Amino acid sequence: MGTIQVRDDNIGLTTYQARVRRVGYRAVSKNFPNRAEAEKWIAAVEADLDRDAALRAQESARQKLGLHVEARAPVPMDAPLVSDATPFRDLMQRYSVLVSPLKKSAESEILRLGKLGRDKISSYAVGSLTPSIIAQWRDRRLGEVAPDTVTREMHLMSAVINMARREWGLELVCNPFALPRKPKRSKGRIRRLRGNELARLLLAAETAQGGFLYSMIQFAIETAMRQGEIVSLDWRYIDLDKRTAHLPNTKNGDHRTVPLSMRAIELLRKLAVIELTLDRAGPVFPGVTGEAVKRAFQNARKRAGIEDLRFHDLRHEAITRLFEKGLNPIEVASISGHKDMRMLQRYTHLEANKLAQKLN
């Protein structure tokens, strides 16, 4: 808990020593010319301690379940409050240690921050970042990656600045990322499997390292689940008799129960046999991370000689197949988890020829 001790020296100068002590952490202290700055520093340090305690609890829980725990940098509890002279790279590193691990998208966000930390924009002092500099960076990135990727990176860097302003003592009048124009949102991507691509992909997946990709690809097509939802799938929430898989924590913050096809049930039964029991708790794909799936899929795709195909495209394929089976948008949304029905409109035009047949 933070305390403040008022000290007067022999020449009448008053200082305020802020001190934070907490079990399990070394005590830290710092002197300030007034109480307000001391209280601000205590609040920032205690916020860092709270986040680190939460991270430790998460890591302990993952270790008990036998899950892999990524090594992380020590939390800079005794680091000074940031200023406009702080390199932007330092802010992103601090954010990746203290904030990102608490998010659902922790793994991908930490990787994204790592890449941004190697970009030229990270070398600027925070106070030197201007809308003009950010716009130049944006235009350069648009020549390297898709517009949606640039937008996500801008939102993430903006979040770093906002956190620094709210809790880390950064005194900026406004967030420089708030002013530059964001790239125009691209049209929704629809990439269907063509010809014998699925057979080739599965053949390549059979030799993928880890042995999980073959089942994951088929399961994605059968369920329309997102990659992260499949990775986090837990036996505790699977009912093979009722043919359902419950997802307690999805990307959009809701939970949902996904009906399982007979093929999906068959895949799960085979996995259960491999893991020796049908009555267990824990991940269906133990030890598998989103990054491992991404790399395994990319390598399998290359071995199969398939161009421009992502794991997420399997979800698009699955949703399109649901419409082809005659399910209506509400039924499809209950399976896919879409909140906005307009997001499903991009799939319906693919079946215009079948709608024409119904008009006859």
Side-chain angles (χ1 to χ4, degrees):
M1 183 174 180
T3 59
I4 297 176
Q5 184 176 2
V6 182
R7 293 182 173 181
D8 294 314
D9 60 16
N10 295 330
I11 59 174
L13 183 64
T14 300
T15 59
Y16 296 78
Q17 184 184 66
R19 180 181 292 272
V20 176
R21 293 178 177 176
R22 187 174 294 190
V23 176
Y25 299 90
R26 68 183 180 86
V28 291
S29 62
K30 190 173 181 180
N31 294 326
F32 296 92
N34 56 66
R35 181 177 292 274
E37 290 187 25
E39 291 175 345
K40 190 175 182 179
W41 181 84
I42 287 175
V45 172
E46 290 185 333
D48 283 355
L49 290 171
D50 290 340
R51 290 193 189 89
D52 188 62
L55 287 176
R56 291 186 181 189
Q58 286 184 352
E59 291 171 354
S60 176
R62 290 180 65 83
Q63 287 175 337
K64 288 180 181 178
L65 291 173
L67 302 178
H68 175 66
V69 176
E70 295 285 347
R72 59 184 176 89
V75 177
M77 253 79 71
D78 59 342
L81 295 181
V82 300
S83 69
D84 58 4
T86 302
F88 191 30
R89 179 184 293 109
D90 291 357
L91 282 192
M92 288 193 282
Q93 168 62 18
R94 183 167 180 161
Y95 191 94
S96 70
V97 171
L98 299 176
V99 182
S100 297
L102 304 179
K103 299 183 180 181
K104 297 176 186 176
S105 57
E107 184 181 10
S108 61
E109 183 168 287
I110 291 171
L111 288 172
R112 192 182 299 277
L113 284 167
K115 291 178 181 178
L116 289 171
R118 296 187 292 272
D119 191 281
K120 180 180 177 181
I121 195 171
S122 70
S123 63
Y124 283 91
V126 181
S128 299
L129 286 172
T130 64
S132 176
I133 290 174
I134 294 169
Q136 291 176 29
W137 168 87
R138 176 201 64 205
D139 295 342
R140 172 171 59 81
R141 285 294 284 158
L142 285 172
E144 302 168 348
V145 296
D148 289 351
T149 299
V150 178
T151 298
R152 282 192 290 269
E153 291 176 349
M154 292 181 72
H155 284 313
L156 179 54
M157 290 188 288
S158 178
V160 172
I161 296 292
N162 284 335
M163 176 60 70
R165 294 173 69 204
R166 286 195 300 265
E167 298 189 11
W168 299 341
L170 178 62
E171 296 181 355
L172 288 181
V173 175
C174 67
N175 187 332
F177 284 92
L179 296 178
R181 172 181 52 83
K182 304 298 187 296
K184 185 177 180 180
R185 187 172 182 176
S186 60
K187 295 181 179 180
R189 171 187 169 94
I190 295 289
R191 167 64 161 91
R192 294 209 62 178
L193 292 167
R194 307 162 188 153
N196 65 349
E197 283 185 337
L198 179 57
R200 289 156 51 198
L201 184 63
L202 289 173
L203 183 63
E206 286 184 327
T207 59
Q209 186 175 0
F212 58 83
L213 187 62
Y214 182 85
S215 298
M216 272 195 167
I217 290 173
Q218 295 185 83
F219 199 75
I221 292 176
E222 291 294 324
T223 64
M225 287 185 187
R226 300 177 177 91
Q227 175 184 298
E229 293 169 347
I230 298 176
V231 169
S232 62
L233 200 62
D234 196 295
W235 287 112
R236 291 174 295 176
Y237 304 115
I238 294 174
D239 191 322
L240 295 176
D241 294 327
K242 293 182 179 180
R243 292 172 49 189
T244 59
H246 184 66
L247 304 175
N249 194 13
T250 65
K251 178 182 178 181
N252 58 25
D254 288 343
H255 61 86
R256 77 177 190 276
T257 300
V258 179
L260 301 174
S261 67
M262 293 305 299
R263 177 56 181 153
I265 291 294
E266 180 184 347
L267 288 167
L268 288 172
R269 288 190 184 280
K270 287 182 178 179
L271 289 170
V273 170
I274 292 173
E275 297 182 31
L276 303 179
T277 176
L278 292 173
D279 184 22
R280 61 160 294 169
V284 174
F285 298 97
V288 178
T289 65
E291 185 63 19
V293 176
K294 178 182 177 181
R295 293 183 182 277
F297 186 84
Q298 289 176 341
N299 292 334
R301 177 184 58 76
K302 291 177 182 178
R303 290 196 301 273
I306 300 173
E307 298 292 335
D308 188 35
L309 184 69
R310 310 167 189 169
F311 191 94
H312 193 71
D313 292 329
L314 303 179
R315 173 170 159 86
H316 297 320
E317 177 72 23
I319 293 173
T320 304
R321 291 186 180 192
L322 292 174
F323 277 113
E324 290 176 345
K325 290 178 180 179
L327 277 67
N328 63 49
I330 295 178
E331 291 171 329
V332 172
S334 69
I335 297 173
S336 67
H338 282 95
K339 278 187 172 183
D340 190 344
M341 301 299 289
R342 292 173 298 180
M343 295 294 291
L344 293 175
Q345 289 179 355
R346 55 179 163 157
Y347 298 96
T348 58
H349 77 278
L350 300 174
E351 301 310 306
N353 62 323
K354 293 188 177 181
L355 290 176
Q357 293 174 11
K358 290 184 178 182
L359 294 176
N360 295 329

